[in-house]
Amino acid sequence: MTGIAPHKALGCCRGCDSEALHVLHEFGVAPIADRLLDPAGTTEDLSAPLTLVLCTDCGLTQIRETVEPRYLFHEDYPYYSSVSKALMAHFHASADTLVETLELGEDSLVVEAASNDGYMLRRFKDAGIPVLGIDPSDGPVKAAQLRGIDTIHGFFNLDRACALASEGKKADLFLANNVLAHVADTHDFVAGIAEILAEDGVAVIEFPYLTDLVDHCAFDTIYHQHLLYLSLTATAPLFERHGLFLNDAERLKVHGGSVRITVSRTARTTPRLEALLADEARRRVKEPVFYTPLLERMEELRHDFRVMLDAYRSRGQKIVGYGAAAKATTLLHHFGVTQDDLMFICDKSPWKQGLEMPGTRIPIVAPDALNGSEASAVVILAWNFANEIMAENADFASQGGEFVVPVPDFVITRGEYMRAAL
Ligand SMILES: [Zn+2]
């Protein structure tokens, strides 16, 4: 069963309410990413229009359509932050630095929105610092509570912040990693931060950085769940409306290029924040021209992909995919891939195996299906892990198979692809 997911199209900017929304790219009616389908047909295959727009007044890049959250975020989605060792090391190092620089102790309080299974808060707790997590996903919240990490099951917003503040719970440190761009009501979320922050408290927030998306051509990170694509230029006014100021920003390598901002009630800046803002101004991030290289590259890559599909098909050769992440949905949609093009998609996650991709209904299978299959090539949909995936499947190449890395450069290789890891 297919259908259009209930959604609303914006009439004005999510940040500044301006009606000056410039359409950067229309993806058309795109499947809802991460909504993997049961082959038995019990899950409705939902799509919705997906349009990338730029507010030419404040520079905020955003998705025009807001799909009802209950179709986007599953309570039972078994994503546990602690599973990724590299990410754990990243966040624990960040926690250790914050404990030291903010001189946090047993009288402090650290509050985290979207705290998941307590992957970061546990580091503060282990250092004897009181913590409070807030997260809407069932399983991870239970996992956090089992570890003794005080966690509220629900969303962080202004109402929640007011309730906590009225109990005397004010945050000396407020954390929000990879959640700011996902919330439909940005101002309600930021007003909540202003409410819960202690007078001299700081908020430390990470999100994917817009310039990395553009420079790495990571167009496949554009989907309905990601409502905002943030530059620092567009982020500053979101906070200033609530009496908060960007104090610092640091670029990070995680998630294909992210930025970590520090926010407080005091207006002050670091030289590195000023340098990043100056760089954004030089690159004209508030203007459509900034996006031209990305949009042109997207069309070139689609062309190269179609040529590749035709070439394999004309030789009677079969192709499969690798990596059924959310972003694969946008990639397959943009490239116009159908079930006829890819036999199946391999993914290591047992939770995904046996299900089908939204929209295309391409089956998801365990990676060992690759060996003994008739496939002549594997399209690496999780292209940011291309080297790792090729190394793990070296046998496939040694038996004559080819790997197709479709982004950020279109490459067909036997396994020697080495573009610097993103
Ligand atoms: Zn705006």
Side-chain angles (χ1 to χ4, degrees):
M1 215 170 30
T2 59
I4 299 289
H7 65 278
K8 286 197 181 97
L10 285 182
C12 60
C13 172
R14 295 173 197 274
C16 74
D17 304 324
S18 162
E19 290 178 12
L21 296 180
H22 173 87
V23 174
L24 292 170
H25 187 73
E26 302 205 39
F27 285 88
V29 176
I32 306 290
D34 249 352
R35 218 182 137 77
L36 303 181
L37 308 173
D38 183 334
T42 50
T43 336
E44 198 178 1
D45 189 7
L46 292 175
S47 303
L50 180 67
T51 314
L52 188 69
V53 298
L54 167 70
C55 170
T56 50
D57 276 330
C58 75
L60 186 62
T61 299
Q62 50 206 296
I63 296 298
R64 188 166 65 190
E65 295 81 12
T66 310
V67 174
E68 278 188 27
R70 66 197 163 107
Y71 296 101
L72 299 179
F73 304 103
H74 318 279
E75 293 236 325
D76 58 347
Y77 183 60
Y79 178 77
Y80 294 83
S81 300
S82 301
V83 169
S84 165
K85 286 203 178 80
L87 279 179
M88 286 288 277
H90 163 79
F91 287 115
H92 286 182
S94 173
D96 293 348
T97 307
L98 288 166
V99 170
E100 203 175 304
T101 55
L102 300 174
E103 298 179 353
L104 299 173
E106 58 189 21
D107 298 328
S108 312
L109 177 64
V110 180
V111 177
E112 184 177 9
S115 52
N116 197 269
D117 57 4
Y119 69 103
M120 187 167 184
L121 287 179
R122 78 177 73 150
R123 193 73 170 186
F124 293 98
K125 190 175 188 302
D126 289 349
I129 299 156
V131 299
L132 175 63
I134 302 156
D135 196 281
S137 44
D138 244 355
V141 166
K142 286 195 186 109
Q145 287 165 341
L146 278 175
R147 281 205 181 90
I149 294 163
D150 195 7
T151 306
I152 296 171
H153 185 201
F155 289 97
F156 177 79
N157 51 27
L158 179 57
D159 282 349
R160 176 87 57 198
C162 289
L164 290 170
S166 72
E167 293 170 24
K169 287 182 175 155
K170 288 277 198 173
D172 299 287
L173 170 62
F174 177 87
L175 302 166
N177 298 317
N178 300 304
V179 62
L180 180 62
H182 293 63
V183 289
D185 190 342
T186 314
H187 282 298
D188 188 59
F189 189 87
V190 179
I193 298 175
E195 179 65 32
I196 202 165
L197 220 49
E199 204 44 46
D200 57 353
V202 299
V204 175
I205 299 166
E206 289 187 18
F207 47 82
Y209 190 31
L210 174 70
T211 61
D212 285 311
L213 186 163
V214 170
D215 294 345
H216 301 150
C217 196
F219 70 87
D220 50 356
T221 59
I222 301 170
Y223 45 88
H224 297 101
Q225 285 86 341
H226 289 166
L227 294 161
L228 306 181
Y229 302 84
L230 294 161
S231 64
L232 296 168
T233 305
T235 303
L238 292 177
F239 286 91
E240 283 170 21
R241 201 197 261 205
H242 302 279
L244 298 172
F245 299 91
L246 254 64
N247 297 153
D248 186 25
E250 180 184 359
R251 291 186 73 169
L252 308 165
K253 288 204 166 142
V254 293
H255 294 301
S258 294
V259 69
R260 177 194 290 146
I261 59 168
T262 305
V263 171
S264 77
R265 298 187 204 281
T266 311
R268 57 168 180 261
T269 57
T270 55
R272 68 179 172 186
L273 169 58
E274 283 168 24
L276 287 169
L277 285 167
D279 189 52
E280 289 185 4
R282 183 185 58 74
R283 296 187 62 183
R284 296 159 71 185
V285 289
K286 286 174 76 172
E287 299 172 44
V289 67
F290 173 69
Y291 299 85
T292 307
L294 168 72
L295 299 173
E296 287 178 355
R297 192 84 191 105
M298 281 167 63
E299 292 316 305
E300 286 165 13
L301 293 175
R302 171 159 59 186
H303 173 264
D304 292 347
F305 196 90
R306 301 304 317 175
V307 169
M308 178 273 297
L309 285 181
D310 290 345
Y312 280 95
R313 184 174 293 130
S314 69
R315 295 193 295 262
Q317 294 174 317
K318 299 241 179 355
I319 311 174
V320 300
Y322 200 108
K327 61 192 201 133
T329 306
T330 294
L331 192 144
L332 296 173
H333 176 74
H334 176 67
F335 288 159
V337 174
T338 69
Q339 224 176 33
D340 296 336
D341 299 321
L342 299 184
M343 282 198 292
F344 55 77
I345 294 173
C346 302
D347 197 285
K348 277 196 227 174
S349 164
W351 182 75
K352 294 179 182 178
Q353 293 160 12
L355 299 177
E356 298 174 349
M357 290 299 283
T360 57
R361 306 213 68 130
I362 297 171
I364 301 165
V365 301
D368 55 19
L370 195 53
N371 299 317
S373 77
E374 307 166 63
S376 300
V378 179
V379 176
I380 301 181
L381 305 169
W383 50 269
N384 43 330
F385 298 110
N387 289 318
E388 193 182 317
I389 291 168
M390 291 188 301
E392 285 172 5
N393 295 282
D395 285 354
F396 176 73
S398 66
Q399 287 156 24
E402 289 175 311
F403 296 105
V404 178
V405 186
V407 183
D409 306 305
F410 190 88
V411 177
I412 298 178
T413 168
R414 296 250 179 227
E416 60 278 0
Y417 179 75
M418 282 299 287
R419 191 185 207 267
L422 299 170

